[in-house]
Amino acid sequence: MTHSTQGFSLLEVNMALLLLVMGLGGILATYQSLAMQVQYTNQQQQALLVFEQMYQVLPLHADQLQWLQAQGGSSSFVPNGHDFCQQGGVCDSSTMVAVWWQHWQQLITQQLPSGELSFTCDAVCKLGNKLHIQIRWHGPQSRRINCDVWHCITMEWPL
């Protein structure tokens, strides 16, 4: 009586493992791509939320934009009494602009990796010129479109 055992050859096992590894590699690449897309979308949403606040607040203080531009967009020029303003106290317009600017700077640096907020005006910040605001940050490399090695969102509106 002959007894025959059937099994898989080493070549068949290696081919099955190769197909399995290729399939898992494709799935992993897809998950990485989706994770980067979600990260970028979240970062972009954070920047757009700051833009929305700026769009609501800055026109109320248009007369102070030239002063803000002269400060260089730094958050270090906020006066000492800014806590009073943040708690609902009445402050002058330049102090309010400074407090808002510092708030936006802090949001951007907390929410976006190496995030920066900047603004410029055509010539000077006066009626009839345009205000240019840009938020830029480091993020997933595959999503960079412009701004060199940064991601950026730019907004422009007439004064």
Side-chain angles (χ1 to χ4, degrees):
M1 167 169 166
T2 61
H3 197 270
S4 152
T5 58
Q6 292 267 337
F8 295 105
S9 71
L10 185 57
L11 180 62
E12 291 171 330
V13 170
N14 284 340
M15 289 301 286
L17 285 174
L18 178 66
L19 290 173
L20 180 65
V21 167
M22 287 175 49
L24 290 175
I27 290 171
L28 181 62
T30 301
Y31 279 128
Q32 282 180 324
S33 175
L34 285 173
M36 285 178 27
Q37 173 114 15
V38 166
Q39 179 186 14
Y40 174 72
T41 302
N42 184 40
Q43 291 171 347
Q44 190 176 34
Q45 183 179 21
Q46 295 300 323
L48 289 172
L49 287 172
V50 172
F51 269 150
E52 177 64 27
Q53 285 183 358
M54 294 176 88
Y55 186 75
Q56 298 294 323
V57 171
L58 287 180
L60 300 174
H61 303 285
D63 57 330
Q64 296 300 317
L65 293 177
Q66 193 167 352
W67 173 82
L68 184 61
Q69 185 179 30
Q71 306 306 311
S74 167
S75 62
S76 62
F77 57 84
V78 178
N80 289 335
H82 74 280
D83 289 336
F84 180 71
C85 296
Q86 289 177 323
Q87 296 170 1
V90 178
C91 297
D92 64 25
S93 190
S94 60
T95 303
M96 281 307 302
V97 169
V99 168
W100 273 108
W101 191 259
Q102 182 182 49
H103 171 72
W104 294 323
Q105 290 277 15
Q106 287 174 348
L107 280 178
I108 289 169
T109 56
Q110 289 170 358
Q111 300 292 327
L112 302 173
S114 301
E116 295 179 0
L117 172 63
S118 64
F119 88 100
T120 56
C121 294
D122 291 342
V124 292
C125 295
K126 287 188 176 179
L127 192 63
N129 291 334
K130 290 185 180 177
L131 176 65
H132 307 274
I133 298 176
Q134 183 179 76
I135 298 174
R136 62 187 200 161
W137 68 95
H138 290 289
Q141 292 180 352
S142 65
R143 300 291 300 177
R144 291 186 185 134
I145 297 171
N146 53 15
C147 297
D148 299 324
V149 297
W150 297 84
H151 292 288
C152 69
I153 297 177
T154 304
M155 181 170 55
E156 176 180 292
W157 76 75
L159 295 175

